[in-house]
Amino acid sequence: MLIKIYPENPNQKAIEQAVEVLKKGGIIIYPTDTVYGLGCDITNHKAIERICKIRGIKPEKANFSFICSDLRHISDYIKPIDTTVFRILKKALPGPFTFILNANNNVPKLLSSNKKTVGIRVPDNNIARQIVAALGNPIISTSIKDDDEVIEYSTDPELIHEKYEDLVDVVIDGGYGDNEASTVIDCTNGGFEIIREGKGNIDEYL
């Protein structure tokens, strides 16, 4: 199913439709402030396994991000962080960053066989944040990759729908996506080490 939602003024009925799908263990493809994401409810193990199957990866090897609506959710899944790191997160988010932080015991057991860390995202996209807020807990997510050798990420929601309609329950058309992923920053040692250069420039917030 393809649902059109406008990011400037998301239709609440459509948001609720996507949330219902997630609550029932479904998988959605949705827009962020960077690339389109493939996501499910963090509490649903079967849905996480489905995403792993689609991506051809084992759950314990997966590097998923936790998509949060704001910073309130993050303390549920991470160990306490120092004031400096929290201050930077508060300034930089919502934004095109994935912050790697030390995970606590609430991370789904399916993912945490060797997982000591977790990637936290609060995208600057109303659709993604409103879905997570209405769901009441984070979405576990991975980027939609493209088979094209030139373009790394799929940007056209209609083409994404054509490719994934038999694999996922809902594709949300929130307009063209970006072709640049988030900047990944490791904060596990209290500093800010860039693991992957992406759309966000963390220097603006340090």
Side-chain angles (χ1 to χ4, degrees), residues 49-64:
E49 284 171 345
R50 267 182 74 196
I51 287 185
C52 290
K53 205 171 173 187
I54 291 168
R55 287 297 309 273
I57 45 179
K58 290 182 178 174
E60 63 275 12
K61 296 257 171 73
N63 284 319
F64 290 131

Side-chain angles (χ1 to χ4, degrees), residues 168-182:
V168 306
D169 301 283
V170 167
V171 176
I172 294 169
D173 177 354
Y176 273 87
D178 211 317
N179 192 33
E180 191 175 15
S182 62

Side-chain angles (χ1 to χ4, degrees), residues 42-76:
I42 197 172
T43 63
N44 194 300
H45 284 197
K46 282 203 168 124
I48 295 170
E49 284 171 345
R50 267 182 74 196
I51 287 185
C52 290
K53 205 171 173 187
I54 291 168
R55 287 297 309 273
I57 45 179
K58 290 182 178 174
E60 63 275 12
K61 296 257 171 73
N63 284 319
F64 290 131
S65 298
F66 291 10
I67 306 293
C68 303
S69 57
D70 54 38
L71 289 178
R72 277 177 309 169
H73 283 311
I74 71 166
S75 58
D76 296 340

Side-chain angles (χ1 to χ4, degrees), residues 48-110:
I48 295 170
E49 284 171 345
R50 267 182 74 196
I51 287 185
C52 290
K53 205 171 173 187
I54 291 168
R55 287 297 309 273
I57 45 179
K58 290 182 178 174
E60 63 275 12
K61 296 257 171 73
N63 284 319
F64 290 131
S65 298
F66 291 10
I67 306 293
C68 303
S69 57
D70 54 38
L71 289 178
R72 277 177 309 169
H73 283 311
I74 71 166
S75 58
D76 296 340
Y77 296 98
I78 64 164
K79 289 180 178 172
I81 54 178
D82 67 38
T83 317
T84 310
V85 172
F86 184 74
R87 206 179 290 131
I88 299 300
L89 262 63
K90 215 169 171 187
K91 280 201 280 187
L93 298 172
F97 301 99
T98 302
F99 289 100
I100 308 293
L101 300 160
N102 291 306
N104 66 21
N105 293 332
N106 292 339
V107 171
K109 291 284 177 281
L110 185 68

